[in-house]
Amino acid sequence: MSGRDLIKGLTNYGDPEFAAYLRRSFAKSMGYSKEMLDRPIVGIATSASGFNNCHRSVPDLVEAIKRGVLGAGGLPIEFPTISLGEVFLSPTSFVFRNLMAMDVEEMIRAQPMSAVVLVGGCDKTGPAQLMGAISAGVPAIQLVVGPMMTGRYRGERLGACTDCRRFWARHRAGDMADGEIGVVEDNLAVTSGTCAVMGTASTMACLSEALGLCLPGSAAVPAVHADRLRMAEATGVEAMRLAESGTAPGALITRASLDNAIRVLVAIGGSTNAIIHLAAIAGRVGLTIDPRHLNAISESTPVLVNLKPTGEQYMEDFHAAGGMDAVLDELRPLLHLGCRDVTGQTLEERLQRRPAFVDRTVIRSTSEPFHGTGSLVALFGNLAPNGSILKCAAADARLFEHTGRAVVFKNLDDLSARIDDPDLDVEPDDVLVLQHAGPIGAGMPEAGYLPIPSKLARAGVKDMVRISDARMSGTAFGTVILHASPECAIGGPLGLVRSGDRIRLSVKARTVDVLLTDQELEARRQAEAPPKPQPVRGYARLYAQHVLGPELGCDFDFLRQPEQEK
Ligand code: FES
């Protein structure tokens, strides 16, 4: 390594000497000295955007990273990639995750650098950066932007976005005075950073740390905390060490590190979306996550963290309570301690430093967990032959063994047209079914959290069994069965259900079924209308033709590594 980074991967003019001379000349046009251009280059992949509130602090973080790289003798060069601001993208940020992953991968590979720092954090940006960097094969370290601080409404703490949904549900139920929902709106998201609860962004930050892909202790530091800037500086220093060692992120993704990540996911009461992202990350090194294996880990891992949406507290509390150091320390007997992180140390070496303080109101011990084992389960059955997922820790246990009448919504338009119809034939014991909201059908939006029909909400119904091939926000709460696979758009059996059918959920048996025979289902399949024509151009076409099912992370088939044992 050294001084030759600038002329790595030369532009192809058919004359390498000319290409090197031209690159040096153009680099000098930016005012760099020869001494600087001779240094190892650390790329900084940034994802700031005016359409991404969560990433508002990225410029400050980049400055701190640069400090670290410069101090360690390198040359930091930032470059942009696309940014996925969760609430600013239509139809849903999820469909663009693979596009961003491709952008990150190709820009890392195409530009001259010995290591790269990935700066992001909003729901889909974190996984997209990891997927891209793993496939690029260049040493990489992630720096997440960190979570938001909470706001206040009439003395009550507010954090995006569990409280967004809680107050919106109250508003729908006619339980908030006119204008009050506007006051809540003004105070839900009051700083830069990712959602303030254990939603997808924070879950993925914790899993990035569990996989060893960011600095130990960095996942939960709030976005506006000075420690976040210190982490950024230290990340720059670490990137220089990585440039020296040449350790690429794919080397850290093993069956053992994935097991650790799944265990952490369960212990923190993390987002269901993380299962999809983790499967996609695993696929980038040729590994798969068997949903039955997920169940086995879930059945031996309690929920330790009392954070919304499963508990009461917020990410700032999690950080102050001990953060990932405390969680990993508590899980120690259940973890694979030989896994290494970006610093080169094993988990066992890391855990030799015990946390100085753990706030047990936020992070419990395994002997007195916040929630028992089995909090996140994969369900199978004739409605989900390839699996589906239910976050039991964020659901009403009274509905775990339940049989009810299906109330079917054919698609998202049908759902929004009829869910609040006063004439909708729906009872509290019914099972709400949303069809055609999977990856190909609708981009797999976070629509699996079907609202309680307003006439039932007004009558005080708080939860119902709901099932779809969609996803759910990591910040939501409810008995919501998600990711039913195969999806309806490719003939998945969920698409054959009709209103009035009986659906049986058994969390104990890990099953979800419609009470129809195989023959009845097959007869319905034969009578189905032909599938909708696919989009004809652009990224939508690429997506429809190549996206895989949720059990394979909804990655593109051509981006996965061939299966391997590791
Ligand atoms: Fe960015 Fe929630 S909107 S993490």
Side-chain angles (χ1 to χ4, degrees):
M1 179 194 78
S2 63
R4 297 201 54 83
D5 274 3
L6 185 66
I7 55 168
K8 268 183 182 168
L10 286 168
T11 314
N12 195 349
Y13 295 110
D15 179 350
E17 290 303 315
F18 171 74
Y21 146 80
L22 204 59
R23 183 174 289 178
R24 282 192 300 268
S25 173
F26 281 31
K28 284 175 180 168
S29 81
M30 292 186 275
Y32 290 114
S33 63
K34 181 174 180 316
E35 188 270 329
M36 277 292 158
L37 292 177
D38 279 346
R39 290 182 171 203
I41 294 174
V42 171
I44 306 173
T46 68
S47 52
S49 162
F51 287 112
N52 193 335
N53 58 296
C54 298
H55 290 193
R56 184 154 59 87
S57 59
V58 165
D60 289 344
L61 295 174
V62 169
E63 281 313 302
I65 295 164
K66 285 181 173 175
R67 243 182 1 248
V69 174
L70 285 167
L75 173 61
I77 299 185
E78 67 180 288
F79 61 96
T81 66
I82 57 171
S83 185
L84 305 179
E86 184 62 22
V87 300
F88 292 95
L89 287 158
S90 176
T92 163
S93 64
F94 185 67
V95 294
F96 301 108
R97 184 203 61 181
N98 295 352
L99 182 65
M100 183 173 180
M102 290 169 73
D103 182 0
V104 169
E105 174 182 347
E106 299 303 335
M107 288 305 100
I108 292 173
R109 189 185 289 122
Q111 299 175 126
M113 61 193 80
S114 277
V116 62
V117 180
L118 311 161
V119 191
C122 190
D123 279 18
K124 312 304 177 298
T125 58
Q129 289 180 327
L130 295 180
M131 291 159 67
I134 289 166
S135 294
V138 170
I141 181 168
Q142 187 163 53
L143 177 76
V144 295
V145 296
M148 291 179 202
M149 303 296 280
T150 51
R152 295 288 185 282
Y153 165 70
R154 296 188 182 278
E156 196 176 338
R157 291 173 84 194
L158 293 183
C161 218
T162 303
D163 296 323
C164 316
R165 294 170 204 286
R166 185 163 61 86
F167 281 98
W168 191 249
R170 280 180 55 186
H171 175 61
R172 279 176 54 80
D175 202 18
M176 285 194 83
D178 283 355
E180 285 301 285
I181 194 70
V183 180
V184 172
E185 181 180 305
D186 288 345
N187 290 287
L188 276 169
V190 292
T191 72
S192 67
T194 49
C195 287
V197 299
M198 191 55 86
T200 305
S202 293
T203 303
M204 287 309 300
C206 293
L207 299 199
S208 178
E209 190 171 328
L211 289 167
L213 298 170
C214 59
L215 279 183
S218 68
V221 181
V224 296
H225 198 299
D227 279 348
R228 175 60 54 196
L229 291 169
R230 282 186 274 272
M231 278 293 175
E233 188 180 305
T235 298
V237 174
E238 195 57 48
M240 279 297 291
R241 276 201 284 265
L242 276 172
E244 192 78 55
S245 72
T247 305
L252 303 176
I253 313 294
T254 61
R255 287 209 181 278
S257 69
L258 287 166
D259 278 3
N260 286 349
I262 295 170
R263 213 171 274 289
V264 166
L265 168 64
V266 176
I268 61 178
S271 162
T272 49
N273 288 321
I275 285 291
I276 297 180
H277 298 315
L278 207 53
I281 287 167
R284 293 302 181 107
V285 295
L287 296 173
T288 51
I289 295 176
D290 180 346
R292 290 180 173 82
H293 186 55
L294 164 76
N295 280 346
I297 293 179
S298 179
E299 280 154 20
S300 56
T301 311
V303 179
L304 302 179
V305 173
N306 175 13
L307 247 62
K308 293 190 177 199
T310 52
E312 295 302 319
Q313 314 278 351
Y314 296 88
M315 283 302 290
E316 65 196 63
D317 307 312
F318 179 59
H319 172 61
M324 280 292 288
D325 281 337
V327 171
L328 292 170
D329 186 61
E330 202 55 46
L331 291 176
R332 184 191 171 101
L334 299 169
L335 295 172
H336 299 286
L337 298 175
C339 294
R340 292 189 185 276
D341 64 29
V342 276
T343 69
Q345 71 181 343
T346 62
L347 189 52
E348 179 156 36
E349 287 162 350
R350 170 182 175 170
L351 293 179
Q352 278 166 10
R353 293 179 301 279
R354 306 290 309 277
F357 166 74
V358 180
D359 181 346
R360 292 296 180 194
T361 63
V362 182
I363 302 171
R364 304 276 186 83
S365 64
T366 47
S367 55
E368 287 180 285
F370 177 65
H371 195 289
T373 57
S375 66
L376 186 69
V377 294
L379 305 171
F380 297 86
N382 68 5
L383 283 182
N386 293 348
S388 60
I389 200 97
L390 171 65
K391 185 173 174 179
C392 300
D396 185 343
R398 288 170 299 184
L399 293 171
F400 286 0
E401 305 299 317
H402 181 84
T403 303
R405 188 184 61 143
V407 175
V408 175
F409 300 92
K410 280 300 210 188
N411 51 45
L412 291 156
D413 289 343
D414 187 29
L415 174 69
S416 58
R418 292 196 297 123
I419 189 75
D420 290 335
D421 183 341
D423 295 329
L424 181 69
D425 179 12
V426 66
E427 301 291 335
D429 285 344
D430 290 342
V431 175
L432 303 178
V433 177
L434 172 63
Q435 298 172 327
H436 292 278
I440 295 171
M444 209 179 186
E446 292 184 340
Y449 177 72
L450 282 75
I452 303 295
S454 62
K455 70 178 188 185
L456 296 183
R458 285 175 195 276
V461 176
K462 296 272 188 276
D463 196 7
M464 294 173 73
V465 176
R466 291 158 263 183
I467 179 167
S468 72
D469 48 6
R471 296 177 301 113
M472 173 174 89
S473 166
T475 60
F477 183 100
T479 309
V480 181
I481 302 159
L482 302 156
H483 315 171
S485 178
E487 67 165 298
C488 301
I490 55 169
L494 186 72
L496 304 175
V497 177
R498 294 177 187 160
S499 287
D501 290 344
R502 310 271 307 160
I503 290 179
R504 183 175 57 210
L505 164 67
S506 173
V507 171
K508 204 166 158 194
R510 307 289 191 247
T511 55
V512 59
D513 293 283
V514 58
L515 303 184
L516 294 171
T517 64
D518 291 351
Q519 291 76 9
E520 286 168 314
L521 281 172
E522 190 50 38
R524 286 188 188 181
R525 191 186 309 283
Q526 298 297 336
E528 275 281 285
K532 276 197 309 189
Q534 290 194 347
V536 293
R537 65 174 299 281
Y539 181 69
R541 176 174 167 159
L542 185 76
Y543 195 88
Q545 291 181 344
H546 293 285
V547 71
L548 296 164
E551 65 278 8
L552 295 173
C554 297
D555 202 357
F556 290 154
D557 50 10
F558 58 86
L559 294 175
R560 280 177 68 84
Q561 276 289 101
E563 294 285 316
Q564 63 160 301
E565 277 311 311
K566 194 173 175 187

